[in-house]
Amino acid sequence: MADITRRLGWRHLRGAPTAHVRHHRGEKLLHEGPGLSFWFRALTAAISEVPVDDRELAMTFHARTADFQDVAVQATVTYRVGDPAVAAARLDFSIDPDTGVWRGTPLEQLGTLLTETAQQHALDALTRTPLAQALVDGVAVVRERIAAGLAAEPRLPATGIEVVAVRVMALRPEPEVERALRTPAREQIQQEADRATYERRAVAVERERAIAENELASQIELARREERLVEQRGANARREAEEHAAADSVRAAAEAARTVKLAEAEAARSVQLAEAEAAKSVKLADAEAARTLRLAEAEAARSVKLGEAEAARAVTLARAEAVGAREVGEARAAAQAAWLRVHGEADVATLHALTGARLAENLPRIDSVTVSPDVLTGLLARLGGERE
């Protein structure tokens, strides 16, 4: 809108760079062009202002497809006034000289013309297209058809209008039809989701089965290894028992050999001691006999005076005692040698028994023995069994 000021009966107009101003006085054109600034008289001036910038015209209209379905088309047409002189001659772009406001509604007329023309070509394209195809390819088809129709429309160049661009933003059916059309896609998406869920569950079940099989295989392997371990432990235990038995056998043999050697040494020592004791006894007997003989002879010498009878008797007694002592010593030596010979020929068990008997002989005296009923009953039962 032009900016008009008053000064002493004159008017001053200052236009915008995007507005083409035409100033007539009578039939004479005084000023013409965009962005003008001039003085004029209101009573004699006829001024028109035509916008020459690009303008957007949004439109929404309904159309019917080939299968009688209603669709809503949302489009935008970009246009501008290419020939302001023609436009000012065909449409009323005159302004009030006092306010600078258009006296008519030229832009609304242009919008109506463009909307009706675009709607006509869009309806012509959609009435030959089914709804499904229109929803798929309808935006491009309607845009091309509107652009071609506006370019071929003779009224627009005659009015000085140039179409810059055509855009179709949406092509939508009625809400019920749109929901119905969305249902198969939703069902398919739901089926895909269910299929994915089932496949995921199947994969999970398969993985769980694989895990269970692995666990079972692990348990079987562990049981097999435990069985091998038990067998190995049994073999080790048997080997250890055999080694212990062999060691015990060797130890028992060594102990028996040692015991035999000790017994043999003890027997040899006893024999030696017995022989030494016997020799000593013989020597003592001989010494005693010699001493007794000497004493007897001395006594006899001293007692010669007592009489030959007493001397003879003394000599006889001395000789008898010497013979008896010699015989006793020889008997003791023989008995000791026989005892040693018997112990040397006896086995280890007999030696142990004799050793126990010898120990029993050297034990202290037992004053009293307490026999319990259980022991007495067992002894009586054993005695009764032996009698039977």
Side-chain angles (χ1 to χ4, degrees):
M1 186 179 66
D3 185 12
I4 297 177
T5 58
R6 299 179 183 182
R7 291 292 186 275
L8 300 175
W10 289 83
R11 303 290 187 272
H12 183 271
L13 182 142
R14 183 175 60 190
T18 58
H20 187 90
V21 178
R22 291 171 60 88
H23 176 208
H24 290 81
R25 187 169 59 190
E27 295 180 358
K28 185 179 180 181
L29 180 62
L30 299 179
H31 302 90
E32 182 181 12
L36 296 179
S37 179
F38 56 88
W39 293 91
F40 67 93
R41 287 184 178 272
L43 296 177
T44 60
I47 302 173
S48 61
E49 183 182 18
V50 181
V52 293
D53 57 340
D54 292 346
R55 291 183 174 268
E56 302 286 341
L57 177 62
M59 59 186 72
T60 301
F61 54 87
H62 291 268
R64 182 170 294 181
T65 61
D67 48 2
F68 305 101
Q69 298 295 327
D70 190 17
V71 293
V73 181
Q74 296 179 359
T76 299
V77 177
T78 303
Y79 71 95
R80 66 171 173 261
V81 179
D83 192 347
V86 175
R90 298 295 298 271
L91 298 174
D92 185 10
F93 283 97
S94 63
I95 61 174
D96 190 325
D98 291 331
T99 60
V101 179
W102 280 316
R103 289 174 176 171
T105 56
L107 295 180
E108 293 180 2
Q109 294 176 4
L110 287 177
T112 301
L113 175 61
L114 291 172
T115 301
E116 290 177 354
T117 304
Q119 184 175 1
Q120 179 183 356
H121 293 289
L123 292 175
D124 187 34
L126 290 174
T127 53
R128 295 182 177 86
T129 307
L131 177 61
Q133 185 178 357
L135 293 177
V136 176
D137 302 325
V139 173
V141 172
V142 171
R143 181 179 64 250
E144 293 175 357
R145 189 61 178 273
I146 291 176
L150 292 177
E153 180 63 35
R155 290 183 58 189
L156 296 180
T159 314
I161 304 301
E162 295 179 0
V163 177
V164 178
V166 177
R167 299 187 301 276
V168 178
M169 279 75 70
L171 188 67
R172 300 176 65 89
E174 293 181 348
E176 295 80 3
V177 178
E178 188 175 6
R179 283 194 295 270
L181 292 175
R182 289 178 178 176
T183 301
R186 289 180 179 177
E187 291 296 331
Q188 185 176 1
I189 293 173
Q190 186 64 36
Q191 291 177 2
E192 293 293 334
D194 295 340
R195 186 179 298 109
T197 302
Y198 297 150
E199 290 178 356
R200 185 170 62 252
R201 290 179 180 176
V203 171
V205 170
E206 183 66 22
R207 290 180 179 176
E208 290 179 357
R209 185 182 64 79
I211 292 172
E213 290 180 355
N214 292 333
E215 292 179 352
L216 182 59
S218 299
Q219 293 178 359
I220 293 173
E221 184 64 23
L222 289 175
R224 186 179 296 111
R225 292 184 179 182
E226 288 180 357
E227 183 179 1
R228 292 179 181 176
L229 180 60
V230 170
E231 293 178 356
Q232 187 64 33
R233 287 179 177 175
N236 294 337
R238 287 194 299 273
R239 186 178 301 170
E240 186 177 359
E242 292 175 357
E243 291 179 356
H244 283 307
D248 293 338
S249 177
V250 171
R251 191 181 299 108
E255 186 68 22
R258 187 175 67 84
T259 304
V260 170
K261 289 180 179 180
L262 290 176
E264 292 178 353
E266 183 68 21
R269 189 173 66 83
S270 299
V271 170
Q272 293 177 357
L273 291 175
E275 291 178 351
E277 186 69 21
K280 182 179 179 181
S281 299
V282 171
K283 291 179 179 180
L284 291 175
D286 292 339
E288 184 67 22
R291 187 178 64 84
T292 304
L293 181 58
R294 285 193 301 270
L295 291 175
E297 290 177 353
E299 184 68 24
R302 286 193 302 268
S303 301
V304 171
K305 295 179 180 182
L306 295 177
E308 288 294 331
E310 185 66 25
R313 187 177 62 85
V315 171
T316 302
L317 288 176
R319 290 177 179 177
E321 287 179 359
V323 172
R326 186 182 292 107
E327 290 178 358
V328 170
E330 291 176 356
R332 287 182 178 178
Q336 187 69 24
W339 184 82
L340 292 175
R341 192 180 306 108
V342 170
H343 281 73
E345 295 175 357
D347 56 355
V348 177
T350 304
L351 293 176
H352 289 172
L354 293 174
T355 303
R358 183 65 58 84
L359 290 174
E361 292 176 358
N362 296 325
L363 287 176
R365 189 181 62 179
I366 298 174
D367 295 333
S368 62
V369 177
T370 302
V371 181
S372 63
D374 296 336
V375 177
L376 184 60
T377 303
L379 292 174
L380 293 176
R382 186 176 300 175
L383 291 174
E386 291 177 356
R387 290 179 180 182
E388 291 177 359

